[in-house]
Amino acid sequence: MKPRISCGRPISRCLFARPLFPRPTHIPQQPLLTLRAFSSTPLALDWLAPKRGHKTKSRKGRPRVPTGGSTRGTTVVWGDYGLRMRDHDRRVSAKSFQIGAETIKKRLRGMKYKLFTRVCANIGVYTSGNEVRMGKGKGSFDYWASRVAVSKIIFELKGELHEQIVRDAFRLAAAKMPGLYEFVRKGDPPVMGITKVGEGVTLEDMKRPRMLLPMEATAARLPATTPP
């Protein structure tokens, strides 16, 4: 039997059993960390892993080869100096990119600069264990990688730094990543495949067919005529 007091009702139902300070009906919520007020700049995503995850297994594929005359991604855009790949068919892992970025930051420690990345590790690599028979699926997820095309800019750096210091930082980073790399400055001509545009070589010359068409060959054999 529940104890009673002077109000004639059980303690659980008595008015005096209620708290003196009632709970507020509206509790203000703390702002989320992902929201930034008065800012239209999107949040920086992780360039070493895609946002979608590895729900769908990606194919092995091959690096993009700009056969149509494209020079996109071969020049420095945001920084003053860049590190450009001059090797073919490279699938670089996200771990290698991370080691290269950490090497640059370690070399430039204490200096004011800004490092830009022009690649994203969005290709999943799946492997099977040792001594596993053929078949039974593609395998389990192992790591993220990126297909880097020839003459693609990997890193860009901007800051009030001496060029020789930046060269040394990029040299150390390139030594720890697979492939061959070269140092470029802002304003250097673009590259179409492995041919640098400039010094007498234009985009029109590169897009022109190597062999003369029949009409062009015939016109070249005709004698030049001058108006009367």
Side-chain angles (χ1 to χ4, degrees), residues 146-179:
S146 175
R147 302 191 193 107
V148 183
V150 59
S151 303
K152 173 72 175 179
I153 297 290
I154 307 295
F155 296 114
E156 291 188 16
L157 194 140
K158 184 177 182 179
E160 297 180 358
L161 303 175
H162 196 275
E163 180 180 338
Q164 195 63 33
I165 298 178
V166 182
R167 279 180 177 270
D168 188 44
F170 283 161
R171 179 187 60 82
L172 296 174
K176 296 190 176 183
M177 293 191 301

Side-chain angles (χ1 to χ4, degrees), residues 4-226:
R4 298 178 178 272
I5 56 177
S6 59
C7 62
R9 290 182 294 178
I11 294 180
S12 60
R13 298 181 181 180
C14 183
L15 296 176
F16 298 100
R18 297 177 181 177
L20 298 179
F21 302 97
R23 183 178 299 175
T25 58
H26 174 69
I27 301 178
Q29 298 180 356
Q30 297 292 335
L32 299 177
L33 296 179
T34 56
L35 298 180
R36 297 181 296 172
F38 309 106
S39 177
S40 60
T41 305
L43 293 175
L45 301 178
D46 187 10
W47 66 287
L48 298 175
K51 184 178 179 181
R52 58 175 172 81
H54 52 89
K55 297 180 181 179
T56 304
K57 294 184 179 181
S58 55
R59 303 296 183 263
K60 185 176 181 179
R62 294 290 184 272
R64 179 182 63 89
V65 179
T67 58
S70 175
T71 59
R72 184 181 62 179
T74 62
T75 56
V76 179
V77 178
W78 300 309
D80 300 327
Y81 308 100
L83 184 66
R84 182 165 61 190
M85 172 173 280
R86 57 184 184 92
D87 204 354
H88 292 272
D89 299 337
R90 283 293 178 178
R91 189 177 66 179
V92 187
S93 64
K95 187 65 175 179
S96 300
F97 286 139
Q98 184 180 6
I99 292 175
E102 291 177 355
T103 303
I104 296 174
K105 294 177 182 178
K106 186 180 296 185
R107 176 61 181 85
L108 304 179
R109 183 179 300 172
M111 305 179 185
K112 294 183 179 180
Y113 66 93
K114 191 171 184 180
L115 184 66
F116 301 93
T117 57
R118 297 284 300 272
V119 293
C120 177
N122 56 355
I123 304 299
V125 179
Y126 302 83
T127 57
S128 301
N130 297 330
E131 300 181 1
V132 177
R133 293 178 179 269
M134 296 180 63
K136 297 183 180 179
K138 191 177 178 66
S140 59
F141 175 79
D142 191 9
Y143 60 90
W144 291 108
S146 175
R147 302 191 193 107
V148 183
V150 59
S151 303
K152 173 72 175 179
I153 297 290
I154 307 295
F155 296 114
E156 291 188 16
L157 194 140
K158 184 177 182 179
E160 297 180 358
L161 303 175
H162 196 275
E163 180 180 338
Q164 195 63 33
I165 298 178
V166 182
R167 279 180 177 270
D168 188 44
F170 283 161
R171 179 187 60 82
L172 296 174
K176 296 190 176 183
M177 293 191 301
L180 302 176
Y181 301 88
E182 62 179 349
F183 178 83
V184 293
R185 308 181 190 87
K186 188 171 185 178
D188 286 356
V191 180
M192 182 181 296
I194 57 176
T195 305
K196 296 183 179 180
V197 179
E199 298 180 358
V201 181
T202 61
L203 291 175
E204 289 74 13
D205 296 337
M206 296 295 297
K207 295 181 180 180
R208 189 176 302 167
R210 299 294 179 90
M211 297 181 60
L212 295 178
L213 299 178
M215 292 187 62
E216 295 183 359
T218 305
R221 290 196 301 265
L222 295 177
T225 59
T226 56

